[in-house]
Amino acid sequence: MSRRQYDPSEIEPKWVARWEAEGLYAASDDPADPRERFYAMDMFPYPSGDLHMGHAEAFSGGDTIARFRWMQGYDVLHPIGWDGFGLPAENAAIKRGIHPKEWTYANIAQQRASFKRIGMSFDWSRQFNTCDPEYYRWTQWLFLQLFDKGLAYRKLAPANWCPKDQTVLANEQVINGHCERCGTAVVRKDLTQWFFKITDYAQRLLDDLDPLEATWPERVVTMQRNWIGRSEGAEIEFEIAETGDRLTVFTTRPDTLWGVTFFVFAPEHELVTRLAEAGGTTGPVNELQDRLQATPLTNREQAESREGMPLGVKAVNPVTGERVPCFVAPYVLMEYGTGAVMGVPAHDQRDFEFARKHELPIRVVIQPEEGATRDPDRMTEAYDHEGVMVNSGPFNGVRSPDSIGRVIEWLGEQGKGRPAVSYRLRDWLISRQRYWGAPIPIIHCPSCGEVEVPVSDLPVLLPDDVDFRPGGESPLARHEGFVNVTCPSCGGPARRDTDTMDTFVDSSWYFLRYCSPHRDDVAFDVDDVERWMPVDQYTGGVEHAILHLLYSRFVTKTLHDLGYLSFVEPFSRMLNQGQVIYGGGSMSKSKGNLVEPMPIVERFGADTMRLTMLFAGPFEDDIDWMLIAPDPSRPPGVYSWLRRAWRAVIEASSAGGAGSADQPTELTRLVHRTIRDVSDDLERFRFNTAISKLMVLTNEIRHTLDQGGGARAAAEALVQMTAPLAPFIAEELWREALSHAESVHTTAWPAFDPELAREERATLVVQVDGKVRERIDVDADAGEVACREAALASERVRRALDGREVSRIVVRPPKLVSIVTAGK
Ligand code: ANZ
Ligand code: ZN
């Protein structure tokens, strides 16, 4: 042992095999286990190939957290699985003729082997894949739970349609409005599709974010809030003069009601066709509708568009009786508010631009309290700030911010409006016209309607023998054997639903399945779930900060309401790693700058790969690989630390003790300080600073050995603290060099003595009029008086003062004394 060189390619595969044989990382299943539980979960991967750098970074952090908790004495659940369904598998089938199943499971096998190779402490006995029938059976069960509650329903919704391939396209398959496969311009096609009614939970999804502010990244909480997008305002009733139709608008600014000069409908609004008829504008209005149908715009493009067509009818302002012209325009979105708006060009920028373009009048009804009054003829933009109401009948002179509330109250008394809240959040479209997903467990019967597949008949299995060629309906819809069934309710001939579920449904409940992954009679065991959930630490990419988290939170709340769960939020704490980039930009195969983790592991070892990720900077920050490893043939910087640590520990293992607590050496003090600080760093995911402290400790051990001193205790502590970060080298040194029988990963995290950890000396900086004039070595617990005296006693300080009168002395013991002279 003692003469051996550090050779990761020799030791790492050895420990992979030994850990597996020893079953080191299985979570205890024993309810009587007295240890506190810790659920450390990493976002599970999509098996699109081997692990990439993003995985390597995320899982290096997640694994360190789990290992640290093990050593602290927790019973840790650190599971892994695969998000196995999805479009890329189907594309591989179409492009390369490989069955999606074969492609997916081959990639899973590869990623699994790579995870083992890089030393992940997963409880492999709990692995599952969302594309396993044993799993998706329960995804289908979840669908039925929501269906029973009225939370799963069907309605017409637009899909991307390629007229040439005659097929529905996922958003990712539409490139600049064209079909990814054949380049044909994509059109909109309205299909009856399934939705989950997440909008019923909008307010709870918002309210329950408040307590998470302390433990989730701030930006994630903000993104969730913005996505839900709550707006307060009023609903106001208008009437169409020519037809008597009554309709409601949502506005956040009811105080601008006297400034309405036009009215706008979304192109899909149900009244548009009828109103165009009444107004004699059917031709041009239809033409606009058809054009939008043929060239689908994103919501943003729609919101930015200022095109529009007059409808030829007028809307009656409920408070002034004034009649204003109605338009249809794409900037009004059907999915928000009521799909119709009152146009107030003086105070809303979109309305202002629309009015200028279509030469509509602008009427100012809010004037600023200070500064120039707004004049409609000279305005270059809407005035959307606070002010005083003018030209507003009974409300003239009323000021913001009271005006909004007062107008709403008055509208209520008049029966013309009421307070209202709108959310940006839409219901969750879960239908995919695709093969590689969980089939929706519904049968359509001509006489019974939508009939549930009985739970005892689940899973609705995906057939293997399908035709993947694009064209026509989805592969499932073309499979006669799949489609034709008898109705479970009346026994008559019926048809299966041929949509599959969005893969976000699969991942919206997987954290529950990990708690009892092998149960084949329930989706999850409620007692097991109660013992482990909520997840104590969830680690993964910020790209999932919105949808995946929102859907998981929603599903948790619905299962809570159904009586399955006692808690309402699935993830207590959250951590997002940064991205791995290259030369300031993204890495990609096409750019030729793709770096992959496994070749680095083969060359320099998994420990070096992991440490390089963790040492690069704060975990949440991006890592620019070009700066870290500019020459791929040379090992990253942390490798030389591992070699130094290797030699130091081996020498220390044979060189006597490191002093006792009675006569603490400098090294002993440093060990205790390092334990204190590294524990704190790992607690707060400051992996990079933890590593640098371990480097300092390594140097001090080296120094002590060179002086002929003993350092065995220090070496043991170093190895234990290194274990969560670089598990292989730590295990080899612990068991082979330091000759322990037990794994380092099951040892107790080292404790420190606060008295020994106390800093003994400190450097006191002395400033005179802001300039640093002196540095003095003082006792670490030197008080205010001692610091002041030491500063004033310094010859250099006295020279800097040069006899001037001192007006003020600020002392921050033991670090700083700042002296200010008179006149400064
Ligand atoms: C009149 C008004 C006057 C408005 C004014 C604003 C300022 P947020 O804050 O995003 O909730 N709006 C309502 N429904 C819409 C739809 N379906 N498509 C496009 N715009 C719509 O925005 C609420 C405001 O967005 C509403 O208040 C309405 O314009 C517009 F000085 O009404 B407002
Ligand atoms: Zn029937």
Side-chain angles (χ1 to χ4, degrees):
M1 182 77 201
S2 58
R3 247 167 284 279
R4 263 173 56 198
Q5 290 287 314
Y6 172 51
D7 179 3
S9 69
E10 183 200 330
I11 61 173
E12 293 186 351
K14 176 180 86 182
W15 289 113
V16 170
R18 294 259 305 259
W19 291 336
E20 176 128 29
E22 292 171 7
L24 216 52
Y25 308 115
S28 163
D29 251 339
D30 185 359
D33 192 319
R35 289 176 298 168
E36 212 180 309
R37 285 159 191 265
F38 193 92
Y39 192 168
M41 185 172 147
D42 307 315
M43 287 184 188
F44 67 170
Y46 177 74
S48 58
D50 201 350
L51 300 184
H52 55 64
M53 291 301 264
H55 294 131
E57 148 137 77
F59 287 96
S60 297
D63 192 56
T64 298
I65 293 168
R67 288 176 179 280
F68 177 52
R69 296 299 179 197
W70 274 111
M71 293 179 74
Q72 286 182 314
Y74 290 90
D75 180 12
V76 176
L77 173 55
H78 187 212
I80 189 70
W82 272 271
D83 194 10
F85 277 135
L87 194 59
E90 217 164 322
N91 286 340
I94 295 164
K95 286 186 191 136
R96 285 182 268 159
I98 312 171
H99 196 281
K101 193 190 231 175
E102 200 185 313
W103 185 85
T104 302
Y105 282 93
N107 287 338
I108 289 173
Q110 166 120 51
Q111 291 193 350
R112 190 179 141 101
S114 295
F115 273 141
K116 290 191 173 179
R117 177 64 189 81
I118 65 177
M120 291 295 121
S121 61
F122 295 134
D123 181 347
W124 288 103
S125 72
R126 290 172 189 257
Q127 183 202 321
F128 57 74
N129 314 309
T130 58
C131 54
D132 300 337
E134 298 76 21
Y135 182 88
Y136 71 71
R137 171 184 186 181
W138 302 111
T139 306
Q140 293 171 339
W141 170 86
L142 174 67
F143 176 96
L144 293 177
Q145 295 295 310
L146 297 181
F147 183 75
D148 279 343
K149 269 281 223 169
L151 291 171
Y153 69 95
R154 288 207 301 169
K155 71 171 180 193
L156 267 188
N160 306 307
W161 178 258
C162 171
K164 172 144 180 296
D165 287 346
Q166 291 283 301
T167 191
V168 175
L169 301 174
N171 287 338
E172 312 83 282
Q173 296 174 300
V174 181
I175 312 292
N176 297 325
H178 293 263
C179 171
E180 172 196 60
R181 291 198 200 110
C182 71
T184 308
V186 170
V187 301
R188 232 179 83 152
K189 187 173 182 184
D190 290 325
L191 300 175
T192 306
Q193 306 193 68
W194 287 98
F195 288 82
F196 284 164
K197 221 173 188 175
I198 190 171
T199 51
D200 273 11
Y201 284 74
Q203 191 57 46
R204 282 169 67 187
L205 287 165
L206 200 58
D207 291 341
D208 291 348
L209 286 171
D210 295 348
L212 296 175
E213 269 178 15
T215 50
W216 279 29
E218 195 184 307
R219 60 176 172 165
V220 175
V221 173
T222 303
M223 281 192 270
Q224 294 263 312
R225 287 207 177 109
N226 291 344
W227 191 261
I228 298 166
R230 182 190 153 103
S231 285
E232 287 176 18
E235 279 176 1
I236 304 179
E237 306 282 353
F238 279 69
E239 192 180 298
I240 302 299
E242 289 81 353
T243 64
D245 283 300
R246 305 185 61 81
L247 51 111
T248 307
V249 296
F250 171 73
T251 177
T252 48
R253 296 292 306 274
D255 57 330
T256 64
L257 182 52
W258 285 262
V260 175
T261 59
F262 59 94
F263 199 95
V264 195
F265 289 89
E268 306 88 348
H269 196 285
E270 54 181 14
L271 280 180
V272 163
T273 306
R274 198 143 49 80
L275 296 184
E277 248 165 59
T281 56
T282 301
V285 167
N286 278 355
E287 195 237 321
L288 174 72
Q289 288 174 314
D290 291 348
R291 190 148 40 82
L292 293 171
Q293 186 84 15
T295 49
L297 302 172
T298 62
N299 271 3
R300 158 142 2 110
E301 289 162 344
Q302 255 186 276
E304 281 166 6
S305 163
R306 294 294 168 259
E307 76 168 315
M309 285 288 167
L311 276 167
V313 293
K314 295 210 150 87
V316 183
N317 186 318
V319 298
T320 62
E322 192 180 357
R323 299 176 171 207
V324 297
C326 293
F327 287 80
V328 53
Y331 83 94
V332 174
L333 308 173
M334 192 57 224
E335 309 88 58
Y336 189 63
T338 63
V341 306
M342 59 185 216
V344 186
H347 304 293
D348 179 279
Q349 186 60 23
R350 296 158 296 182
D351 295 346
F352 180 85
E353 290 164 17
F354 191 80
R356 283 283 191 246
K357 175 154 181 193
H358 299 270
E359 299 183 334
L360 295 162
I362 294 175
R363 185 181 309 149
V364 175
V365 292
I366 308 284
Q367 285 290 4
E369 293 223 39
E370 280 161 23
T373 52
R374 294 302 191 270
D375 171 358
D377 295 333
R378 291 204 306 262
M379 283 168 82
T380 53
E381 57 180 14
Y383 178 72
D384 55 10
H385 303 285
E386 304 207 319
V388 190
M389 290 175 73
V390 298
N391 295 324
S392 297
F395 285 90
N396 285 339
V398 177
R399 300 179 147 73
S400 333
D402 300 343
S403 46
I404 293 180
R406 284 183 53 186
V407 171
I408 294 178
E409 198 178 316
W410 181 79
L411 286 170
E413 286 160 13
Q414 308 267 313
K416 291 171 176 169
R418 65 201 76 85
V421 171
S422 253
Y423 299 90
R424 291 262 151 214
L425 184 66
R426 302 294 75 186
D427 275 342
W428 176 8
L429 170 63
I430 62 145
S431 278
R432 297 291 180 271
Q433 294 72 37
R434 292 281 141 208
Y435 166 74
W436 193 234
I440 288 176
I442 292 288
I443 288 168
H444 300 283
C445 169
S447 32
C448 311
E450 292 166 355
V451 182
E452 300 185 19
V453 174
V455 171
S456 56
D457 289 356
L458 297 181
V460 176
L461 278 176
L462 268 182
D464 286 338
D465 56 333
V466 296
D467 177 4
F468 293 108
R469 278 169 303 174
E473 297 166 290
S474 83
L476 284 181
R478 279 180 275 161
H479 192 288
E480 292 295 320
F482 178 81
V483 171
N484 297 313
V485 287
T486 53
C487 168
S489 166
C490 70
R495 291 173 64 81
R496 268 194 206 287
D497 199 290
T498 57
D499 283 352
T500 53
M501 284 185 250
D502 176 11
T503 57
F504 277 121
V505 182
D506 307 329
S507 55
S508 69
W509 72 280
Y510 77 120
F511 41 91
L512 301 173
R513 186 71 182 165
Y514 280 140
C515 300
S516 50
H518 306 303
R519 288 290 292 266
D520 60 4
D521 54 340
V522 287
F524 49 86
D525 179 294
V526 289
D527 295 325
D528 289 344
V529 162
E530 287 304 319
R531 278 198 301 275
W532 287 112
M533 289 287 297
V535 172
D536 293 287
Q537 181 64 51
Y538 195 23
T539 306
V542 76
E543 67 273 18
H544 292 303
I546 299 178
L547 295 182
H548 164 58
L549 294 181
L550 200 66
Y551 296 152
S552 301
R553 298 179 59 222
F554 162 66
V555 165
T556 301
K557 289 177 200 304
T558 62
L559 291 173
H560 166 85
D561 293 353
L562 284 159
Y564 291 105
L565 309 174
S566 70
F567 49 90
V568 294
E569 282 292 329
F571 312 124
S572 301
R573 275 171 154 275
M574 172 96 64
L575 175 65
N576 300 131
Q577 77 279 4
Q579 284 188 341
V580 184
I581 56 175
Y582 199 90
S586 64
M587 296 196 307
S588 76
K589 218 176 239 166
S590 56
K591 285 195 204 164
N593 62 7
L594 190 71
V595 184
E596 288 178 298
M598 294 320 288
I600 298 172
V601 169
E602 288 320 317
R603 217 164 165 154
F604 306 114
D607 283 338
T608 289
M609 190 275 293
R610 295 171 58 123
L611 287 172
T612 302
M613 291 286 180
L614 298 176
F615 190 51
F619 191 62
E620 291 90 339
D621 291 3
D622 289 349
I623 298 179
D624 193 331
W625 202 259
M626 191 178 86
L627 304 178
I628 285 174
D631 178 355
S633 66
R634 291 174 47 129
V638 294
Y639 188 82
S640 64
W641 168 50
L642 290 180
R643 288 217 326 241
R644 264 182 292 131
W646 173 269
R647 281 196 303 267
V649 172
I650 288 174
E651 278 178 48
S653 68
S654 51
S660 68
D662 304 332
Q663 277 179 313
T665 63
E666 261 318 297
L667 181 59
T668 315
R669 290 185 184 284
L670 181 66
V671 167
H672 285 262
R673 246 185 350 255
T674 307
I675 296 171
R676 180 192 64 193
D677 295 348
V678 168
S679 308
D680 190 51
D681 282 345
L682 294 186
E683 201 71 53
R684 297 164 203 256
F685 321 121
R686 289 187 306 225
F687 308 118
N688 56 330
T689 56
I691 293 166
S692 56
K693 281 160 198 153
L694 295 175
M695 291 172 168
V696 169
L697 179 59
T698 307
N699 293 344
E700 208 47 44
I701 292 174
R702 173 82 269 152
H703 179 72
T704 303
L705 292 168
D706 291 346
Q707 308 284 305
R712 186 179 167 100
E716 300 220 325
L718 173 67
V719 169
Q720 284 185 292
M721 286 187 276
T722 304
L725 299 149
F728 292 105
I729 189 172
E731 185 78 322
E732 178 75 14
L733 289 172
W734 186 254
R735 292 214 203 176
E736 305 294 344
L738 297 165
S739 309
H740 293 281
E742 174 196 24
S743 167
V744 69
H745 300 294
T746 52
T747 60
W749 185 254
F752 66 91
D753 176 344
E755 190 49 35
L756 286 173
R758 205 165 48 84
E759 245 88 4
E760 290 221 291
R761 309 296 298 170
T763 301
L764 178 72
V765 172
V766 187
Q767 293 179 348
V768 177
D769 293 332
K771 277 210 185 88
V772 175
R773 295 295 188 181
E774 176 69 300
R775 287 190 168 78
I776 308 170
D777 186 47
V778 296
D779 216 63
D781 48 14
E784 194 168 332
V785 176
C787 289
R788 179 202 299 257
E789 279 174 0
L792 294 174
S794 152
E795 184 53 40
R796 283 212 219 143
V797 170
R798 247 181 281 161
R799 241 183 286 131
L801 284 173
D802 195 20
R804 280 171 299 165
E805 193 190 329
V806 172
S807 72
R808 204 151 46 87
I809 303 183
V810 180
V811 185
R812 261 186 243 112
K815 301 246 147 103
L816 180 76
V817 172
S818 174
I819 303 172
V820 182
T821 60
K824 282 280 170 171

